[in-house]
Amino acid sequence: MFVFSDNLSEALEKLKLASTDSATDSVESCLDCLLKALANNNTEASMKIQEMGVLPLLPTLLNPQSSCTPKVANIIAEVAKNEFMRSPCVEAGLIPPLIQLLNSTDQEVLLQTGRALGNICYDSQSSKEQFASTNIAEELVRLFQKQTEHEKKEMIFEVLAPLAENDVIKLQLVEAGLVECLLDVVAQTVDGEREEDIAQLKTASDLMVLLLLGDESMQKLFEGGKGSVFQRVLSWIPSHNHQLQLAGALAIANFARNDGNCIHMVDTGIVQKLLELLDRHVEEGNVTVQHAALSALRNLAIPVVNKSKMLSAGVADVVLKFLQSEMPPVQFKLLGTLRMLIDTQAEAADQLGTNGKLVERLVEWCEAKDHAGVMGESNRLLSALIRHSKSKEVVRTVIQGGGVKHLVTMATSEHMIMQNEALVALGLIAGLDLGKTEKDFVGASLVSVLHKLLSDERSAPEIKYNSMILICAVMGSEPLHKEVQSLAFIDVVSKLRAHENKTVSHQASLTEQRLTAQS
């Protein structure tokens, strides 16, 4: 190790001298020594290179005419594999000369330059921010427009992808015309059979979706729904190519990130396109396409004005075709889409809530211990069907399906919003059909769950309020009434009369009166 360290120090010293008098041979042998040291122990050698102040010497060595250039770019690429070297590379002024080298015709120079730029901006927020203040976006797009060879395009893609994760650079890339390039690549490769066509189509359409993840870049491309880019992406959805269908659906899901866009898209008939796409994937089920199309529908269903329009278009019926799916990501999105659709829509909640097959599947998914997301969404949909329909038939369907115990468990969730949704649904069950559900309430220890929620200092005011409402609602059942008496609820409730929240303290007084009257 010591020998290696001394050799390296010597080579670095030589390099400092040699780089000033541009004696190519001596520089070349120093560079070879550096590459050997990096291959031997990258981290140690990089630290040494940093300590000895070699990085600032490298820009002058990145000369398009010099035979050393590929080795210098290779050294930068190797050094930038270390997180701690990425910012120093930017600070040493390596970005502009590397960007210039992308114009080179030498394959080896291009390869090493691409690696160097890719590694410097890989996973590093700070270096991406520094890239944002250079003209790299314009340079890369200009370069891309000139390329005809697959390898060169791929190499530029590899540098673009990590850069495009930064929102400022996303916008710069859009402004520099990258989107038009990507659309051209898609048009050229969509019917291609060759490996490289398929690879390019995937890279270009993925990058397109990535650009839409930035709010500003997305809004710029949407152009009030009139944008040519938006129109072109729409045409991907009916495509026969799975990769394009996927990118099209993901793009719609990304455009659907604010109410205005969602309302416009539903009014211009996008829902029909997505439903036709889903219909094609019920049988030949491509899971990623199913997931993306359901994500788009879920987002489109968020604005209240869209819900009834989407229900009339038959969204719920198509979504229900995927009830048999065994894929948790698809199950998760299916549940989310139905929950969004029935929010405030009593008739739809009634219709879905009395669908025995759906309720049965929800109860099954409420037990999906390995998939917390699916479990949570099933519980929330079960509760939503009751809360939005307020229907005795729905309550009966849930009781018969065995859903009550899951709602009681949901009341103990660590998420307050879920606790609250559960308590409101349980209150409706007790109010609409206490006789039928009494046995389930006893079996699920509802009363002791409510006692815990009321005694817990950390319970939010609305949780305390809804727990007391529920206590009053179950008093009409003899076995539940007995349980309430045996747990000394009066002590807990009378303490809540002094609660700082007026609604809670008022409900505590009413509940205390009720408990005293019926003791």
Side-chain angles (χ1 to χ4, degrees), residues 62-71 73 96-114 117 139-140 142-144 146-149 151-153 155-156:
L62 285 171
N63 178 338
Q65 273 67 54
S66 157
S67 60
C68 302
T69 301
K71 283 184 182 165
L98 283 169
I99 293 175
Q100 286 312 312
L101 288 175
L102 291 172
N103 291 303
S104 168
T105 48
D106 180 326
Q107 287 304 319
E108 183 59 20
V109 170
L110 274 175
L111 172 75
Q112 300 301 351
T113 304
L117 284 168
E139 287 284 348
L140 286 170
R142 205 169 47 80
L143 206 81
F144 191 89
K146 294 197 313 204
Q147 299 315 324
T148 49
E149 292 158 51
E151 276 77 20
K152 284 197 181 174
K153 284 185 181 170
M155 194 227 42
I156 299 171

Side-chain angles (χ1 to χ4, degrees), residues 235-292:
S235 72
W236 294 357
I237 294 176
S239 149
H240 54 82
N241 181 301
H242 282 184
Q243 171 60 34
L244 267 199
Q245 295 169 0
L246 170 64
L250 287 173
I252 298 302
N254 283 330
F255 280 125
R257 284 211 310 277
N258 62 52
D259 282 5
N261 292 7
C262 287
I263 292 166
H264 179 87
M265 287 195 279
V266 168
D267 287 344
T268 49
I270 280 179
V271 170
Q272 214 39 56
K273 285 192 167 68
L274 289 166
L275 293 183
E276 282 159 18
L277 176 61
L278 275 172
D279 259 330
R280 289 157 68 183
H281 284 278
V282 177
E283 299 309 321
E284 56 180 283
N286 178 310
V287 174
T288 46
V289 176
Q290 292 172 359
H291 181 261

Side-chain angles (χ1 to χ4, degrees), residues 373-385:
V374 172
M375 198 160 102
E377 277 292 334
S378 307
N379 276 304
R380 293 190 74 184
L381 181 53
L382 208 50
S383 151
L385 291 168

Side-chain angles (χ1 to χ4, degrees), residues 51 97 117 128 221 268 291 358 380 397 401 404 454 468 481:
E51 274 163 34
L117 284 168
K128 279 178 203 155
L221 294 170
T268 49
H291 181 261
L358 170 63
R380 293 190 74 184
T397 312
V404 174
L454 287 173
M468 288 188 282
H481 187 174

Side-chain angles (χ1 to χ4, degrees), residues 211-491:
L211 292 176
L212 293 174
L213 281 171
D215 285 336
E216 281 186 80
S217 45
M218 179 272 286
Q219 227 25 60
K220 191 176 171 64
L221 294 170
F222 189 66
E223 290 179 62
K226 307 271 184 289
S228 61
V229 174
F230 171 64
Q231 298 300 334
R232 291 272 290 275
V233 169
L234 266 191
S235 72
W236 294 357
I237 294 176
S239 149
H240 54 82
N241 181 301
H242 282 184
Q243 171 60 34
L244 267 199
Q245 295 169 0
L246 170 64
L250 287 173
I252 298 302
N254 283 330
F255 280 125
R257 284 211 310 277
N258 62 52
D259 282 5
N261 292 7
C262 287
I263 292 166
H264 179 87
M265 287 195 279
V266 168
D267 287 344
T268 49
I270 280 179
V271 170
Q272 214 39 56
K273 285 192 167 68
L274 289 166
L275 293 183
E276 282 159 18
L277 176 61
L278 275 172
D279 259 330
R280 289 157 68 183
H281 284 278
V282 177
E283 299 309 321
E284 56 180 283
N286 178 310
V287 174
T288 46
V289 176
Q290 292 172 359
H291 181 261
L294 288 167
S295 299
L297 286 172
R298 180 195 177 280
N299 289 1
L300 289 170
I302 292 171
V304 173
V305 293
N306 281 357
K307 297 180 196 293
S308 56
K309 292 176 186 168
M310 289 175 71
L311 286 163
S312 313
V315 173
D317 305 330
V318 175
V319 170
L320 286 173
K321 292 180 184 175
F322 294 90
L323 259 190
Q324 295 321 307
S325 171
E326 291 305 329
M327 294 298 182
V330 174
Q331 297 167 351
F332 180 73
K333 284 294 174 193
L334 169 152
L335 292 162
T337 307
L338 290 176
R339 189 164 64 79
M340 283 303 156
L341 279 173
I342 63 163
D343 193 20
T344 70
Q345 306 295 309
E347 199 184 322
D350 198 17
Q351 222 175 347
L352 288 170
T354 48
N355 175 336
K357 275 207 169 70
L358 170 63
V359 171
E360 196 179 306
R361 194 72 163 134
L362 293 182
V363 169
E364 191 184 317
W365 285 339
C366 284
E367 289 163 11
K369 298 275 184 285
D370 322 341
H371 301 288
V374 172
M375 198 160 102
E377 277 292 334
S378 307
N379 276 304
R380 293 190 74 184
L381 181 53
L382 208 50
S383 151
L385 291 168
I386 295 170
R387 288 182 297 113
H388 296 299
S389 69
K390 300 186 173 56
S391 136
K392 190 164 186 168
E393 271 58 56
V394 172
V395 165
R396 290 220 158 148
T397 312
V398 172
I399 296 171
Q400 278 160 1
V404 174
K405 61 175 186 289
H406 296 298
L407 292 171
V408 175
T409 308
M410 181 181 168
T412 62
S413 158
E414 68 252 31
H415 303 291
M416 188 201 81
I417 190 161
M418 285 176 67
Q419 284 185 302
N420 214 27
E421 287 172 358
L423 290 169
V424 173
L426 289 166
L428 284 163
I429 294 176
L432 289 165
D433 207 340
L434 185 57
K436 278 260 189 312
T437 191
E438 177 180 82
K439 204 160 84 265
D440 290 335
F441 279 167
V442 172
S445 316
L446 172 67
V447 174
S448 68
V449 165
L450 295 173
H451 192 272
K452 277 200 194 79
L453 290 175
L454 287 173
S455 319
D456 189 345
E457 294 290 309
R458 293 163 311 185
S459 295
E462 45 269 65
I463 302 299
K464 296 206 151 114
Y465 172 80
N466 282 320
S467 297
M468 288 188 282
I469 295 278
L470 193 46
I471 282 298
C472 296
V474 301
M475 293 284 281
S477 145
E478 200 174 326
L480 292 167
H481 187 174
K482 278 196 178 118
E483 285 188 29
V484 171
Q485 285 176 315
S486 68
L487 275 172
F489 264 84
I490 290 214
D491 309 346

